[in-house]
Amino acid sequence: VVKAVSSDLVAESLDLLIRSHQVSLRHIAEFRERVEGDVVRLATSRMQESDKGTLKKLLDDARQCAIRGNEAVSDFLTADKNIHLYIARMTGNPIYISILKTIHENIRRYYDEFLVMEEPEMKENLADLEDVVAAMEKGEAEKAGDIARTHVMRFNNYMEKRERQHTQ
């Protein structure tokens, strides 16, 4: 069977690596800390007027989950993922889109195990996302990318701290 070459093959391989525990939380964190800010910068430079409306709607979805509080953690994490993935799609780069989709679809098991996501964390996460989108809408690519990178680093640090506590 000959399979057409596509970015999906890379995503499938990465998916297998993550699911087989050959990619650790630290590996994912290291990748995301370096890439997500760059993706936001690139997406900002390619932003269309229609993207602003879509980002506002996605932020509103996340905001509604945060208002519902602890009962909506799962929905909030999905809304957060949708924002990250939409920003990746804004780049128009199939490599970013495919790899980040795979990362975000597989990181949930780490969230479930190591991320405390209650009302304070949801509000903090939402504030970061709102700040990223606000900077993007103003065309402030560097600022938006820096906020995104700091956001990813902070939440990775939260998870890595809990992971260390679990292994002690």
Side-chain angles (χ1 to χ4, degrees):
V1 174
V2 177
K3 203 171 187 182
V5 176
S6 75
S7 59
D8 290 342
L9 294 174
V10 173
E12 288 173 23
S13 296
L14 181 57
D15 184 62
L16 282 171
L17 284 172
I18 294 169
R19 283 189 288 124
S20 66
H21 303 280
Q22 293 183 43
V23 174
S24 68
L25 174 60
R26 179 71 266 184
H27 294 135
I28 293 172
E30 185 176 86
F31 175 82
R32 288 188 67 215
E33 287 169 9
R34 280 148 186 80
V35 171
E36 296 248 10
D38 289 339
V39 166
V40 166
R41 287 180 189 90
L42 183 58
T44 300
S45 72
R46 295 179 177 172
M47 179 180 266
Q48 303 294 313
E49 200 59 39
S50 61
D51 293 323
K52 293 177 183 180
T54 301
L55 286 170
K56 283 187 186 297
K57 186 210 174 300
L58 292 169
L59 272 177
D60 192 52
D61 292 347
R63 194 174 298 111
Q64 293 308 312
C65 295
I67 289 168
R68 289 178 21 227
N70 292 341
E71 70 160 49
V73 169
S74 181
D75 292 340
F76 181 84
L77 290 172
T78 298
D80 174 79
K81 176 180 86 170
N82 291 340
I83 292 167
H84 284 274
L85 294 182
Y86 186 77
I87 291 171
R89 281 194 299 277
M90 288 171 59
T91 68
N93 184 320
I95 297 169
Y96 286 136
I97 295 165
S98 180
I99 291 176
L100 287 175
K101 181 175 183 264
T102 302
I103 295 288
H104 282 277
E105 287 177 353
N106 284 285
I107 201 168
R108 186 65 176 261
R109 72 181 181 87
Y110 292 111
Y111 289 169
D112 292 344
E113 191 170 353
F114 300 120
L115 182 62
V116 173
M117 183 60 76
E118 294 177 352
E119 285 186 54
E121 292 82 11
M122 279 193 284
K123 288 179 181 175
E124 179 182 23
N125 191 328
L126 179 61
D128 288 346
L129 295 172
E130 290 172 334
D131 290 346
V132 167
V133 171
M136 290 177 75
E137 288 176 342
K138 293 177 187 171
E140 298 173 340
E142 288 302 313
K143 181 178 179 180
D146 290 346
I147 296 167
R149 185 169 189 263
T150 300
H151 163 77
V152 169
M153 288 175 66
R154 184 177 334 107
F155 279 87
N156 285 339
N157 287 335
Y158 292 162
M159 287 190 293
E160 288 177 343
K161 182 178 176 183
R162 291 239 6 230
E163 181 183 43
R164 284 190 301 275
Q165 291 170 347
H166 283 213
T167 58
Q168 292 177 352

